Amino acid sequence: MMKCKKRTHLFVAALMSVALLSACQKNKPAEPTEADLVPFTPPADFEWEGSYLDRVNDLAVLTIEKDGNAYNCTVSVPDQAITHIESYEFKASAASDGLGLSYTGGVRTSYLLPSEDKPDAGVTTQEVYTDGTGRIYYLDGEVYWMDDKDNAGNTFIFEKVEAESDVSDNAVD
């Protein structure tokens, strides 16, 4: 009888050990996979500077101007009636991870334009914040803006607008 109890205890202990080991193995962290960053890499001849138009709503405009090793960037977002404009200005530089441009100290300004019946009313300006952060990045031929402060760029897909001189140079006679 004593041998039977001992065997039962050993069997239960072995069963619990197997269960414990299998539970620990399930919690083993997965091997990290390497992300494919090729779509985020602009072509060798790609230049950030220029004007971009949002291809989703055709209203937002992104302007990037080279300033030494950095870029002065402005995103202007008008409403449909163009009576209200949100403007985001920031100085961006190459991101430390090599993916696009990043910035801190972004300024958001809100402009309320006078209505047509009161053109002399003037523009009302309100600085909303001066501590914006975010990033501009390239993905498969398009440019995206990630605004960390209020997620303002989440609906925009920017396409570069050809300069007028580029268009006329390429025109067929």
Side-chain angles (χ1 to χ4, degrees):
M1 182 86 159
M2 191 69 142
K3 276 188 174 183
C4 195
K5 270 188 168 179
K6 251 186 179 178
R7 285 186 192 161
T8 306
H9 285 292
L10 282 173
F11 178 73
V12 169
L15 189 59
M16 290 178 71
S17 296
V18 169
L20 184 61
L21 285 173
S22 70
C24 289
Q25 200 156 14
K26 287 180 184 174
N27 291 337
K28 182 180 175 184
E31 291 290 320
T33 58
E34 210 166 296
D36 180 16
L37 301 177
V38 172
F40 291 95
T41 306
D45 63 343
F46 181 78
E47 295 180 11
W48 287 104
E49 53 270 9
S51 294
Y52 300 80
L53 184 62
D54 171 37
R55 75 170 171 87
V56 176
N57 297 310
D58 289 330
L59 288 174
V61 176
L62 165 65
T63 305
I64 302 175
E65 296 174 347
K66 184 96 168 133
D67 183 8
N69 290 331
Y71 298 88
N72 292 321
C73 305
T74 303
V75 180
S76 297
V77 186
D79 63 356
Q80 284 292 100
I82 309 179
T83 59
H84 180 251
I85 299 172
E86 291 298 319
S87 177
Y88 302 82
E89 296 181 46
F90 45 89
K91 189 169 204 159
S93 57
S96 59
D97 60 7
L99 299 176
L101 307 174
S102 64
Y103 67 92
T104 59
V107 177
R108 176 181 169 194
T109 306
S110 184
Y111 298 95
L112 184 59
L113 305 174
S115 61
E116 287 183 29
D117 59 333
K118 296 181 183 176
D120 296 335
V123 176
T124 305
T125 304
Q126 177 187 3
E127 191 170 84
V128 180
Y129 60 74
T130 60
D131 60 348
T133 60
R135 173 185 296 246
I136 294 176
Y137 65 95
Y138 175 95
L139 177 61
D140 290 331
E142 297 169 323
V143 172
Y144 294 81
W145 170 47
M146 288 177 32
D147 172 55
D148 299 335
K149 185 75 174 179
D150 55 12
N151 208 23
N154 67 344
T155 61
F156 304 135
I157 301 172
F158 290 103
E159 292 181 330
K160 200 167 202 176
V161 178
E162 289 185 45
E164 224 175 271
S165 62
D166 293 342
V167 173
S168 63
D169 290 345
N170 296 329
V172 178
D173 292 324

